[in-house]
């Protein structure tokens, strides 16, 4: 099946054919959706990534490895020398020239520990050697100590023959001098940082952190810790987004809460003009108190609105006085899904990251789901290879996502029967 899910795994550039499919009749529904004014997810993403490409953050900084988690490499990292620089032992044992061993006990002529320098091996002898220690010149194999017996006179005999190269890690097995080991555009996590350290790099050059303002809209919102008045709810999106943005490698500007008011919305957007992105929640539907879209339409530029996804349909993207605004719908599960699938890839691309889309994998559905006109993202867990859904998929329920291990993607125009294979996008892919 070549629908949207398979593209998640390979997309490193915006030029991805999101709309092609080997399921001609069904997937026409994607086109139908855009006829009704709903933009297919793939197209929205394509436009967002193109927008990011046109405004990549400028500037780099050189940061110590300990501060580089989640950042994006601005310059490739090369190996300055062969690593390891010398052949070393993969085992605790005895280094020898395999041809020297003719079945007789051998004299142990030196002991070599990791971090120490051996002398050339005396012909006809072996060297006691430990894991990671350099193999002495003249030795071509290491007999593991489990295959060795030490006689009373200290000589060693081996219970098995050895071959050249046995238990030796060759020089340059990790990388050779000059080799490009990490590409520019790589997102750095613990593994990449460990690799940078392997190369001897103490610092890496990364792209500047995008500054992202988080603005919550809604008369009903109250900060956690305050008492709730009639009709009020706690602002959960702000906390969710601020911590998610920080771990995505962004600098967060918490712009607080504004009430539903057109003039205040305009003021807030104008005030935040120095950031790279204004991320808002709420106020993007078609209700009477939804002013974000109106502010963008009237005082800025609206680039996309209304997606064929569920939850998340009212997602709104535009610019206000030149600053990009992504307006996430306010329902917590909608905020989560649209941030994960659209705003996060946008931000990663803004940082110059080449792989911005989460990777999903196929699992069997342990549920059935009716056909719909929008692409759905269901909060799910995989248990013994089968996906199970949280019983309440309301976009107002954040617990569904806390319970879930990932999102199941149900393409528009497709029903799911139990046992069908579906795409599962692990939360770990979205939260990294
Ligand atoms: P809206 O997108 O403004 O129409 O809001 C849709 C729903 O999400 C409403 O039930 C809001 O009360 C709720 N909501 C909006 N913003 C937040 C927020 N920051 N935290 C929690 N719920 C919110
Ligand atoms: Mg609202």
């Amino acid at each position: 099946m070549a629908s949207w899910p398979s593209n998640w795994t390979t997309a490193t550039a915006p030029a991805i054919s999101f709309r092609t499919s080997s399921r001609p009749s069904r997937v026409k529904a994607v086109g139908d959706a855009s006829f009704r004014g709903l933009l297919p997810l793939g197209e929205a993403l394509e436009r967002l990534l193109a927008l990011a490409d046109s405004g990549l953050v400028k500037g780099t900084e050189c940061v110590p490895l300990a501060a580089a988690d989640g950042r994006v490499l601005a310059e490739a990292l090369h190996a300055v020398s062969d690593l390891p620089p010398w052949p070393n032992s993969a085992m605790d044992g005895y280094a020898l020239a395999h041809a020297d061993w003719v079945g007789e006990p051998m004299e142990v002529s030196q002991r070599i520990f990791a971090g120490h320098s051996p002398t050339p091996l005396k012909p006809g002898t072996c060297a006691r050697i430990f894991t990671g220690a350099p193999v002495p010149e003249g030795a071509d194999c290491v007999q593991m100590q489990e295959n060795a017996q030490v006689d009373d006179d200290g000589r060693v005999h081996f219970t098995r023959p050895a071959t050249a190269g046995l238990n030796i890690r060759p020089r340059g097995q990790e990388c050779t001098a000059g080799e490009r080991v990490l590409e520019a555009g790589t997102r750095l996590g613990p593994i990449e940082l460990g690799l940078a350290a392997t190369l001897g790099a103490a610092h890496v050059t990364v792209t500047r952190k995008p500054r992202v303002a988080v603005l919550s809209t809604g008369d009903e919102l109250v900060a956690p810790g305050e008492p709730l008045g009639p009709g009020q709810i706690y602002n959960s999106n702000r906390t969710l987004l601020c911590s998610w943005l920080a771990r995505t490698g962004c600098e967060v500007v918490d712009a607080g809460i504004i009430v539903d008011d057109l003039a205040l919305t305009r003021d807030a957007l104008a005030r935040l003009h120095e950031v790279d992105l204004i991320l808002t929640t709420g106020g993007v539907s078609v209700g009477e108190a939804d002013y974000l879209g109106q502010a963008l339409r009237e005082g800025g530029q609206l680039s996309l609105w209304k997606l064929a996804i569920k939850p998340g349909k009212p997602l709104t993207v535009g610019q206000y006085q030149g600053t990009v605004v992504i307006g996430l719908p306010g329902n917590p599960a909608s905020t989560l899904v649209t941030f994960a699938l659209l705003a996060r890839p946008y931000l990663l691309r803004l940082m110059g990251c080449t792989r911005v889309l989460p990777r999903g994998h196929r699992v069997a559905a342990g549920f059935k789901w009716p056909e719909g006109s929008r692409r759905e993202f269901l909060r799910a867990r995989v248990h013994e290879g089968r996906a199970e859904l949280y019983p309440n998929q309301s976009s107002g329920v954040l617990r569904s996502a806390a319970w879930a291990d990932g999102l199941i993607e149900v393409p528009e125009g497709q029903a799911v029967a139990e046992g069908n294979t579906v795409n599962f996008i692990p939360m770990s892919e979205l939260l990294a």
Side-chain angles (χ1 to χ4, degrees), residues 253-323:
V253 178
D254 184 352
I257 300 172
I258 54 163
V259 293
D260 294 312
D261 177 273
L262 184 58
L264 288 177
T265 304
R266 287 198 191 115
D267 286 352
L269 295 179
R271 189 165 34 87
L272 296 168
H273 66 276
E274 277 179 350
V275 299
D276 296 294
L277 171 68
I278 303 173
L279 196 58
T280 67
T281 60
V284 285
S285 309
V286 284
E288 284 178 18
D290 291 326
Y291 294 113
L292 199 268
Q294 195 180 336
L296 291 184
R297 253 190 312 273
E298 292 172 6
Q301 184 189 326
L302 193 64
S303 356
L304 56 105
W305 183 46
K306 282 197 181 172
L307 265 53
I309 60 170
K310 189 179 177 184
K313 176 173 132 187
L315 179 99
T316 301
V317 179
Q319 295 189 33
Y320 198 83
Q321 296 178 0
T323 305

Side-chain angles (χ1 to χ4, degrees), residues 369-391:
W369 198 254
E371 175 178 330
S373 60
R374 290 183 277 157
R375 184 161 294 237
E376 294 200 46
F377 291 92
L378 308 170
R379 275 72 71 208
R381 265 185 192 176
V382 176
H383 180 65
E384 293 178 351
R386 288 171 83 83
E388 295 169 0
L389 300 184
Y390 190 76

